[in-house]
């Protein structure tokens, strides 16, 4: 990598990424690069441009739009990595009659729309698990036992955390997800190496931490924790009405959490470090130490997206 592409001192960069199936997607200020390891050991590299929209300059609003955009793009690259990383035999075994019919009778626009619908279904599942289910279970308990308002709030918060942590823990038990979390660790280590101003080599990257304060995991736990305080003021007149109120406040919750994470990522204050602690702790479940070949994939993904001058990519 050219010397001028590396910062001369430790700093925070806006470069970020996402772990994929046998690969990593890295996003810089201007470009996106997706690197996936093929079954034969070679790397598949695909590129796209980063587009700046009007909402990126509007506080609170940008958090919601960026989350939707990241979910859609993330699902797109995840499906791409699954296609590239599977052998022909695996693809034939996985491909259903419906998949073959869609490939033969539909165009890219329909398939993109189908991908958007799949991403929306993922959002619906998340809303069910972390918004509806804790409130529903709390309502069931309150029917059997007389609970005060704040007892309900605390019970709902405890159930939400238990469901969330259990979900992540069960994910780590799956072999494919565990490998993806290793790639997640490679992504963090590589970005940390770049932010430290060191040359991006496997040896240099390997020694850096797999924990990073500006991570999607940190955003998820921040949303969970802030929602506990934000939803505590909502009435408990009925379980159904409380769920409606929570859904109505969801855009505000996402916008506030995005701004908090953005601010804490730029600050070295004690409060910013305290905000980062839950996310860093939770990354013990979502990141694992990568192998050297995973680090090679991360380096290949991040190198093309780095800004020509490091100051152009400051967070």
């Amino acid at each position: 990598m050219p010397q001028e592409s590396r910062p001369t001192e430790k700093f925070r960069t806006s470069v970020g990424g996402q772990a994929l199936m046998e690969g990593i997607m890295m996003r810089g200020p201007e470009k996106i690069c997706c690197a996936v390891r093929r079954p034969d050991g070679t790397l598949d590299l695909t590129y796209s441009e980063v587009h700046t929209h009007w909402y990126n300059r509007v506080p609170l609003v940008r958090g919601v739009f960026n989350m939707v955009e990241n979910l859609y793009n993330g699902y797109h690259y995840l499906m791409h990595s699954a296609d590239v990383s599977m052998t022909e035999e695996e693809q034939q075994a996985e491909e259903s009659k419906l998949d073959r019919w869609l490939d033969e009778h539909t165009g890219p626009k329909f398939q993109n729309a189908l991908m958007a619908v799949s991403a929306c279904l993922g959002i619906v599942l998340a809303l069910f698990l972390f918004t509806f289910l804790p409130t529903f279970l709390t309502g069931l308990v309150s029917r059997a036992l007389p609970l005060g308002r704040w007892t309900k709030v605390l019970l709902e918060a405890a159930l939400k955390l238990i469901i969330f942590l259990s979900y992540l823990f069960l994910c780590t038990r799956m072999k494919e997800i565990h490998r993806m979390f290793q790639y997640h660790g490679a992504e963090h280590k590589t970005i940390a190496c770049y932010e430290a101003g060191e040359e991006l080599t496997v040896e240099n990257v390997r020694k850096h931490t797999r924990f990073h304060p500006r991570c999607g995991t940190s955003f998820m736990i921040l949303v969970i924790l802030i929602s506990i305080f934000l939803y505590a003021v909502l009435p408990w007149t009925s379980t159904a009405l409380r769920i409606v109120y929570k859904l109505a406040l969801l855009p505000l919750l996402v916008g506030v959490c995005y701004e908090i994470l953005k601010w804490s990522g730029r600050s070295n204050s004690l409060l910013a470090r305290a905000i980062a602690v839950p996310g860093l702790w939770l990354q013990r479940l979502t990141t694992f130490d990568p192998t050297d070949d995973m680090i090679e994939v991360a380096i290949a993904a991040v190198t093309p997206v780095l800004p020509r001058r490091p100051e152009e990519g400051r967070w």
Side-chain angles (χ1 to χ4, degrees):
M1 186 176 66
Q3 180 67 31
E4 62 270 20
S5 297
R6 297 199 305 272
T8 56
E9 58 183 9
K10 188 172 179 61
F11 80 126
R12 291 180 170 89
T13 179
S14 60
V15 176
Q18 175 183 329
L20 307 170
M21 300 297 292
E22 299 300 327
I24 292 174
M25 180 272 289
M26 287 287 192
R27 175 174 178 151
E30 299 177 354
K31 294 181 180 180
I32 295 175
C33 178
C34 176
V36 183
R37 181 78 69 181
R38 297 190 186 96
D40 62 4
T42 60
L43 289 180
D44 175 88
L45 299 177
T46 57
Y47 306 92
S48 58
E49 300 295 322
V50 172
H51 301 286
T52 302
H53 304 280
W54 62 268
Y55 52 75
N56 294 114
R57 298 184 294 272
V58 183
L60 294 181
V61 174
R62 58 191 173 192
V64 178
F65 280 93
N66 281 328
M67 185 189 75
V68 174
E69 180 183 353
N70 289 337
L71 285 173
Y72 175 80
N73 289 335
Y75 187 80
H76 167 76
Y77 288 113
L78 186 61
M79 292 299 99
H80 170 75
S81 68
D83 289 338
V84 172
S85 61
M86 285 194 298
T87 63
E88 291 186 7
E89 291 79 9
E90 290 173 330
Q91 289 178 354
Q92 291 174 358
E94 290 288 332
E95 190 175 26
S96 65
K97 292 182 179 180
L98 177 60
D99 293 327
R100 289 192 290 270
W101 185 89
L102 289 173
D103 289 338
E104 294 173 0
H105 297 86
T106 63
K109 289 185 178 180
F110 180 85
Q111 293 177 13
N112 287 337
L114 194 63
M115 191 177 300
V117 171
S118 299
C120 290
L121 290 177
I123 296 175
V124 171
L125 176 61
L127 290 175
F128 172 79
L129 288 176
F130 311 126
T131 299
F132 172 80
L133 189 58
T135 304
F136 176 74
L137 293 177
T138 302
L140 287 181
V141 174
S142 65
R143 290 181 182 180
L145 299 172
L147 300 178
R149 169 182 172 78
W150 290 105
T151 305
K152 291 181 182 179
V153 169
L154 293 175
L155 177 60
E156 183 186 49
L159 288 172
K160 184 180 295 186
L161 287 172
I162 290 171
I163 293 170
F164 180 60
L165 294 176
S166 300
Y167 173 79
L168 288 182
F169 177 77
L170 290 175
C171 286
T172 64
R173 302 299 94 188
M174 301 172 61
K175 180 181 177 182
E176 294 80 3
I177 302 299
H178 188 278
R179 282 189 61 82
M180 189 184 297
F181 286 168
Q182 285 183 283
Y183 277 103
H184 193 190
E187 173 212 331
H188 285 187
K189 283 175 173 281
T190 303
I191 293 176
C193 182
Y194 171 69
E195 290 181 333
E198 298 180 13
E199 184 179 0
L200 292 179
T201 64
V202 173
E203 292 74 18
N204 287 343
V205 170
R206 191 191 302 124
K207 66 184 181 183
H208 283 275
T209 178
R210 73 178 198 265
F211 307 119
H212 202 284
R214 295 180 310 286
C215 170
T217 305
S218 299
F219 179 75
M220 287 191 296
I221 190 60
L222 189 61
V223 168
I224 295 290
L225 295 177
I226 296 296
S227 70
I228 292 173
F229 295 98
L230 181 63
Y231 295 158
V233 302
L234 297 178
W236 277 93
T237 51
S238 74
T239 300
L241 191 58
R242 181 173 175 83
I243 292 172
V244 171
Y245 287 146
K246 291 168 72 172
L247 292 176
L249 285 176
L250 185 60
L252 176 62
L253 172 65
V254 172
V256 168
C257 292
Y258 179 86
E259 299 302 327
I260 292 175
L261 191 66
K262 192 174 184 67
W263 168 80
S264 64
R266 293 174 172 175
S267 174
N268 284 318
S269 66
L270 182 61
L271 178 59
R273 292 197 295 271
I275 290 173
V277 167
L280 293 174
W281 177 84
L282 193 61
Q283 286 173 40
R284 296 181 182 277
L285 289 176
T286 63
T287 64
F288 295 104
D289 285 323
T291 58
D292 286 354
D293 63 321
M294 293 177 178
I295 294 176
E296 290 174 356
V297 174
I299 293 174
V302 78
T303 302
V305 308
L306 295 177
R308 287 180 290 272
R309 294 188 298 273
E311 57 272 15
E312 295 177 350
R314 285 186 179 273
W315 176 260

